[in-house]
Amino acid sequence: DPCRNFHCKRGKVCHVDKQGKPICICQDPAACPSTKDYEHVCGTDNKTYDGTCQLFGTKCQLEGTKMGRQLHLDYMGSCKHIPHCTDYEVDQFPLRMRDWLKNILMQYYERDLDTSGFLTEKQRTKVKKIYQNDKRLMAGNHAVELLLHDFEKNYHMYVYPVHWQFHQLDQHPVDRLLTHSELAPLRASLVPMEHCITRFFQECDGDQDKLIALKEWCHCFGIKE
C-alpha cells in the first residue's frame, strides 16, 4: 500500500493516483467517522463541527479563500456563548492558572508512584520537592485572596510548573517561542471553562510579534527570574 507510510497534514488524506503514486487530497467532511457529542468542536466561524476531521476537511476544501485562511479550531466542545473577559477577570486569571498547573504536576507525580511514565526522572526530582513540602496549598476551589497570599508566601513552588507548561507546548520547533498553533492545544481545551485565556495570551505577547517568548510567558505569570 503506497499510502502506508505517506504522511498528509491535517485535513488531507492519502490517495493513490492513476500512476499508483500516493498524493494528498482534501478529506471529504461527509466521509469523516461519526463522533460522540463530547468530541464536537467549535470553529472560529462559530459553527459546531462533529469533530476535528470534519473541521480540518472543511478548511482544506476552502484552501486559497479568505474563509479558509480564517477558519481554525476555536475550542473543544459545541459552540456556545463565551462571555466577554473583563479587566478584573484577566488580572485574576494567572492566579488560577498557576495553581492549576501546580496541581496537574502533583497528579502526574502521584500517578508515577504507581506506574512511571508521565514525568521524566529530572522532572520527578523537581516536582518531588513541591509535593513533599508541607506548606503546599492543596487542590481546591480557593478564593483569589488565598491564591495571591500563597503565591507571595510560597513563590518557589510556582516557578517550575510555569516553566514546565511552556516547555510542554514548545514543540514545533523547540525554539523558546510559542506560536499560535503551539498554544492551540492548551487554549482550545480551556476556553469553555476559562473564557479569559484568549485575551490572556494576546496580552502576554508584549511586543505584538505573534510569538510568546519564555520571558514574556514568565512575566505574564508573575515569575521574576
Side-chain angles (χ1 to χ4, degrees), residues 77-221:
S78 300
C79 294
K80 63 178 190 176
H81 171 67
I82 303 290
H84 172 71
C85 174
T86 65
D87 293 349
Y88 176 69
E89 288 172 322
V90 83
D91 286 346
Q92 289 186 356
F93 178 82
L95 301 175
R96 291 195 304 277
M97 187 77 174
R98 279 189 309 242
D99 188 55
W100 184 68
L101 292 174
K102 175 175 62 86
N103 289 320
I104 282 179
L105 278 175
M106 297 306 102
Q107 284 182 5
Y108 279 169
Y109 183 79
E110 282 181 335
R111 286 186 204 171
D112 270 5
L113 296 175
D114 300 324
T115 51
S116 61
F118 287 99
L119 301 169
T120 64
E121 200 60 51
K122 192 177 174 185
Q123 288 172 335
R124 258 201 303 277
T125 307
K126 294 201 178 232
V127 177
K128 185 180 182 181
K129 288 176 187 167
I130 306 171
Y131 185 80
Q132 292 182 336
N133 194 317
D134 57 359
K135 293 190 180 76
R136 177 165 61 88
L137 185 65
M138 294 301 169
N141 196 8
H142 302 298
V144 171
E145 293 76 20
L146 180 58
L147 291 174
L148 188 58
H149 174 71
D150 192 62
F151 178 63
E152 288 167 357
K153 203 170 118 209
N154 298 308
Y155 170 80
H156 61 283
M157 288 194 207
Y158 293 91
V159 177
Y160 182 69
V162 170
H163 282 164
W164 169 80
Q165 179 64 85
F166 183 92
H167 294 296
Q168 289 294 107
L169 296 168
D170 182 24
Q171 299 292 334
H172 311 288
V174 178
D175 56 2
R176 296 171 83 87
L177 294 167
L178 296 182
T179 61
H180 178 270
S181 59
E182 284 176 318
L183 286 166
L186 178 67
R187 193 194 148 278
S189 57
L190 285 183
V191 166
M193 296 172 284
E194 287 285 0
H195 65 281
C196 281
I197 193 163
T198 304
R199 182 176 164 185
F200 175 74
F201 284 154
Q202 285 167 348
E203 293 182 6
C204 263
D205 181 15
D207 56 9
Q208 297 293 297
D209 64 349
K210 298 202 172 359
L211 298 166
I212 297 181
L214 179 61
K215 200 170 183 178
E216 289 175 320
W217 175 268
C218 288
H219 176 72
C220 278
F221 283 104

